[in-house]
């Protein structure tokens, strides 16, 4: 059977390390870290995500400010709040929970966040920095996948890495991060021809396709590492990923389960980015190197 890459254990470990770091910053320098979380409207899934983020902050010792705005909030009102938070010295990170209501331009909102407080790593300046190998915030889900691989002792350098999906928040930053780790990277998408042939070349296969259990063993080379980013709930309310776990597990070398694989890492890396935002430029010798802890 394959190595099961346990995101619950690894994310818990990262959170413990961060908790310790935040405590030391408080004790030795009187510093605190603060994340402002903005939610527009009452989308139930967003409410759950925001709640989990606030819980993680409380656990680690990060202060959180919560802004729950009505669904009819205008873009101008939202951007005015972001502008205020950009200038508040005590606020280190700003997170706007996506998706936003249709009348608000998400890209304009993301651009209005100070890149130094963009702990989601979505601002074009941070994406550009990642692209040219400079320090900056990295999108949390792909950053979490790199941590999963490293902390599971899986070498990336020189490996054939294939990503299914090219979204701005998962596929593209994933490609850049694997490249930074010296993987040989291929990005596939809905227009890729002979997808199975391409994915069967992968030593490390990342599925971020958004289709429940699409990736069966025909897509996977024997012994490959399979990272499942997808999250879906079936009719019975049970969670599953983009990978058909039961079918793929017997042939692969390592695999992330859903739940308990990539999912918990996203929040852990958000917390990591918050702590980095808190200390950036304030503690000599520390900056955002893009490597965890
Ligand atoms: P998107 O829908 O934005 O992107 C999906 C990508 O998959 C697109 O690039 C699309 O191609 C490609 N695709 C769709 N169908 C096919 C196909 N048949 N063959 C090949 N490629 C295909 O999704 P996200 O990247 O935002 O998310 C992907 C999954 O990860 C979702 O299940 C989402 O819920 C989950 N997710 C999980 C997170 C976590 O914390 N665990 C965080 C973020 C997302 P094209 O560009 O050509 O349309």
């Amino acid at each position: 059977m394959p190595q099961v890459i346990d995101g619950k254990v690894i994310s818990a470990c990262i959170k413990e390390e961060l908790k310790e770091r935040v405590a030391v910053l408080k004790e030795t320098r009187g510093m605190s870290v603060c994340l402002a979380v903005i939610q527009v409207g009452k989308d139930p899934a967003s409410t759950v995500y925001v709640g989990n983020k606030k819980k993680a902050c409380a656990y680690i010792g990060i202060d959180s400010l919560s802004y729950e705005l009505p669904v009819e909030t205008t873009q101008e009102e939202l951007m005015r709040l972001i502008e205020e938070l950009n200038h508040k010295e005590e606020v280190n990170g700003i997170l706007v929970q996506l998706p936003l209501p249709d009348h608000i331009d998400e890209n304009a909102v993301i651009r209005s966040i100070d890149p130094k407080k963009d702990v989601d790593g979505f601002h074009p300046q941070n994406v550009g920095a990642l692209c040219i190998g400079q320090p900056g915030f990295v999108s949390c889900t792909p950053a979490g996948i790199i941590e999963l691989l490293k902390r599971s002792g899986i070498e990336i350098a020189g490996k054939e890495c294939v990503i299914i999906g090219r979204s701005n928040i998962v596929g593209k930053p994933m490609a850049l991060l694997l490249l930074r780790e010296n993987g040989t990277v291929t990005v596939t998408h809905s227009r890729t021809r002979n997808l199975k042939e391409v994915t069967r070349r992968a030593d490390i296969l990342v599925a971020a396709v958004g289709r429940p259990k699409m990736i069966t063993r025909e897509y996977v080379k024997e012994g490959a590492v399979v990272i499942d980013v997808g999250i879906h709930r079936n009719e019975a309310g049970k969670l599953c990923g983009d990978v058909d776990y039961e079918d793929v597990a017997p042939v692969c070398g390592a695999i992330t389960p859903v739940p308990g694989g990539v999912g918990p890492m996203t929040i852990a890396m958000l917390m990591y980015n918050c702590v980095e935002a808190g200390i950036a430029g304030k503690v000599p010798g520390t900056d955002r190197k893009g490597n965890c802890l």
Side-chain angles (χ1 to χ4, degrees), residues 29 31 116 275-288:
R29 296 175 187 267
M31 274 173 60
K116 291 195 286 302
V275 175
E276 289 292 295
I279 61 175
K282 294 189 197 123
V283 178
T286 56
D287 65 359
R288 301 191 306 271

Side-chain angles (χ1 to χ4, degrees), residues 120 122 126 134 146 185 221 250 276 284:
D120 259 336
F122 294 163
N126 283 316
Q134 291 188 359
I146 296 292
V185 181
K221 178 169 82 176
E276 289 292 295

Side-chain angles (χ1 to χ4, degrees), residues 141 164-167 169-170 189-191 195 208-211 214 229-232 242 262-263 266:
T141 301
I164 318 176
R166 57 174 165 182
S167 70
I169 62 166
V170 187
H189 45 79
S190 65
R191 308 285 292 272
L195 181 63
V209 63
R211 293 179 188 266
M214 178 179 135
V229 186
I231 310 179
H232 314 275
D242 290 345
V262 173
T266 300

Side-chain angles (χ1 to χ4, degrees), residues 4-56:
V4 178
I5 301 173
D6 192 333
K8 271 197 261 177
V9 168
I10 296 173
S11 65
C13 185
I14 291 175
K15 283 195 219 159
E16 286 311 315
E17 291 164 3
L18 291 171
K19 190 174 177 180
E20 167 92 31
R21 227 169 134 197
V22 168
V24 169
L25 286 173
K26 263 187 197 151
E27 263 171 46
T28 59
R29 296 175 187 267
M31 274 173 60
S32 56
V33 179
C34 175
L35 171 68
V37 182
I38 305 174
Q39 184 181 357
V40 184
K42 287 197 159 79
D43 173 63
S46 292
T47 304
V48 172
Y49 291 138
V50 164
N52 289 340
K53 288 167 188 174
K54 287 195 281 195
K55 240 188 267 166

